[in-house]
Amino acid sequence: MRKILALHTGGTISMHEDELGQVLPGEENPIARAEIALPENVEIINEEIFNLPSPHITPAHMLQLKERILYAIQHENVQGIVITHGTDTLEETAYFLDSTIQLMFPIVLTGAMRSSNELGSDGLYNFLSALRVASDNKAIGKGVLVVMNDEIHTARYVTKTHTTNVATFRTPTHGPIGIVTKTEIVFFHQLQYQEKYNISTVDGNIPIIKAYAGMTDEIFNMLDFHKTNGLVIEALGAGNLPPKVLEGLKKVLLNDIPVVLVSRCFNGIAEPVYAYTGGGMELAKLGVMFSNGINSQKARLKLLIGLNAKLKGTELSDFIHDA
């Protein structure tokens, strides 16, 4: 018998639509109490750890989830984890767990785009699919996974791409790692190992700034350097910034604030290619760290994890770059 712990955190998958068309959380999570046909030899333990819309989720909640998972594995003979979560920040929670948990057992996140009483609600189906993946031996060693709409994605690269569509979760550049069929779980790819840090704190103020045409250094000069622990920039193209940004950016770096750069493009990898003023090569020489293929919200979490793991210098830049 394989024991799966289902941790319910709230989100649309646990909400209902009222007579006015408003989607709201209720006092009880209907998914946690639903009767479903479980995979053979699977026992499920439901636990409502939070009941929060996902915009309310913080890194402190992610840390609490990580600690609960580790306790379950070490003391409760659990062989897999399923987490139901609101979709707005699901990818961030998944990425945080993937970057902080060393163990090989399956951890699967899922959610819904339609509330529990809407026509065509996808929550119960996604939950069952996630349970199937978490109880499958082939999911062992695949890292934290996101299962939605019959697709299996890695926490490292998946992102929400549509505000309402049930097929919202996509993996740019790489595609899904596997699929859920009627009869089996099929995996196509295996990710390379990424360093993980079992942190116990999530302290730090790390804003995200998005680059745009005609941008100046005004927003950089507005930062309180004493209260800023790091900075993530969504740069243009392959990793470039308008030239008038540079003076403000240099002030940030001179205050020993680590700066991570990603591309605002949906596909591809940011890298120091261009040598003109504001180009990626100049930014790299200034000390900006390029993150390899993850989006800004995940790069922010990665920097937060690195800082709380007390990484500095080359060790921090290697961790940021490694994807």
Side-chain angles (χ1 to χ4, degrees):
M1 183 68 69
R2 173 162 289 181
K3 185 187 294 185
I4 305 295
L5 174 62
L7 295 172
H8 302 282
T9 70
T12 300
I13 193 170
S14 69
M15 297 182 187
H16 67 279
E17 184 180 53
D18 67 15
E19 63 276 6
L20 298 177
Q22 303 173 119
V23 178
L24 299 164
E27 293 184 3
E28 295 184 346
N29 187 331
I31 295 295
R33 290 160 176 76
E35 294 185 5
I36 56 177
L38 293 173
E40 188 177 356
N41 297 325
V42 171
E43 175 189 359
I44 180 173
I45 302 169
N46 286 292
E47 180 179 321
E48 295 181 57
I49 188 168
F50 312 128
N51 187 17
L52 296 171
S54 63
H56 296 193
I57 295 288
T58 68
H61 293 112
M62 300 175 194
L63 185 65
Q64 186 177 340
L65 270 173
K66 181 201 70 131
E67 297 296 339
R68 178 66 185 95
I69 291 168
L70 292 178
Y71 184 87
I73 296 299
Q74 295 166 4
H75 301 287
E76 298 174 1
N77 194 32
V78 168
Q79 290 87 39
I81 304 289
V82 169
I83 300 169
T84 63
H85 197 290
T87 58
D88 285 351
T89 59
L90 184 151
E91 66 192 85
E92 289 166 83
T93 296
Y95 185 77
F96 179 89
L97 298 175
D98 192 51
S99 301
T100 57
I101 295 178
Q102 294 275 7
L103 302 177
M104 298 287 284
F105 61 87
I107 301 174
V108 181
L109 281 83
T110 193
M113 296 302 292
R114 296 172 181 156
S115 56
S116 59
N117 63 332
E118 286 185 74
L119 184 66
S121 174
D122 53 331
L124 192 58
Y125 182 84
N126 285 337
F127 183 44
L128 177 58
S129 297
L131 289 169
R132 289 179 58 199
V133 173
S135 60
D136 193 293
N137 286 332
K138 294 190 291 293
I140 296 172
K142 294 290 193 300
V144 177
L145 302 171
V146 173
V147 173
M148 296 274 290
N149 204 41
D150 285 333
E151 293 183 340
I152 307 170
H153 297 266
T154 65
R156 195 179 305 177
Y157 296 121
V158 72
T159 191
K160 185 175 181 178
T161 65
H162 196 286
T163 55
T164 57
N165 196 300
V166 295
T168 182
F169 281 94
R170 291 282 185 262
T171 298
T173 303
H174 308 285
I177 197 173
I179 59 172
V180 179
T181 75
K182 296 292 185 183
T183 58
E184 62 179 325
I185 308 302
V186 181
F187 285 97
F188 306 121
H189 310 295
Q190 178 74 41
L191 279 183
Q192 291 183 328
Y193 176 78
Q194 178 179 258
E195 195 68 39
K196 304 174 192 296
Y197 290 93
N198 184 17
I199 57 173
S200 58
T201 59
V202 284
D203 300 327
N205 176 31
I206 303 173
I208 298 172
I209 295 176
K210 187 167 186 171
Y212 53 87
M215 185 180 188
T216 68
D217 66 352
E218 181 179 9
I219 193 167
F220 294 89
N221 295 327
M222 293 170 62
L223 294 172
D224 185 338
F225 296 150
H226 298 292
K227 296 181 180 180
T228 303
N229 304 104
L231 183 66
V232 174
I233 302 174
E234 274 193 33
L236 308 172
N240 313 299
L241 293 172
K244 291 185 178 180
V245 166
L246 294 180
E247 289 307 311
L249 177 60
K250 289 175 183 176
K251 293 177 186 177
V252 174
L253 293 166
L254 285 172
N255 278 271
D256 293 323
I257 297 172
V259 177
V260 176
L261 183 145
V262 301
S263 175
R264 71 178 194 177
C265 295
F266 188 70
N267 281 291
I269 294 173
E271 53 187 343
V273 176
Y274 291 96
Y276 53 71
T277 302
M281 292 186 71
E282 181 177 11
L283 300 178
K285 289 177 182 177
L286 290 174
V288 174
M289 296 178 285
F290 282 64
S291 188
N292 194 0
I294 58 176
N295 57 30
S296 60
Q297 54 267 37
K298 292 179 182 178
R300 177 186 170 276
L301 285 171
K302 191 163 194 177
L303 180 56
L304 184 71
I305 291 165
L307 294 178
N308 280 272
K310 309 303 182 186
L311 304 183
K312 295 181 180 179
T314 302
E315 195 174 17
L316 178 61
S317 62
D318 287 347
F319 176 63
I320 294 298
H321 179 73
D322 177 29

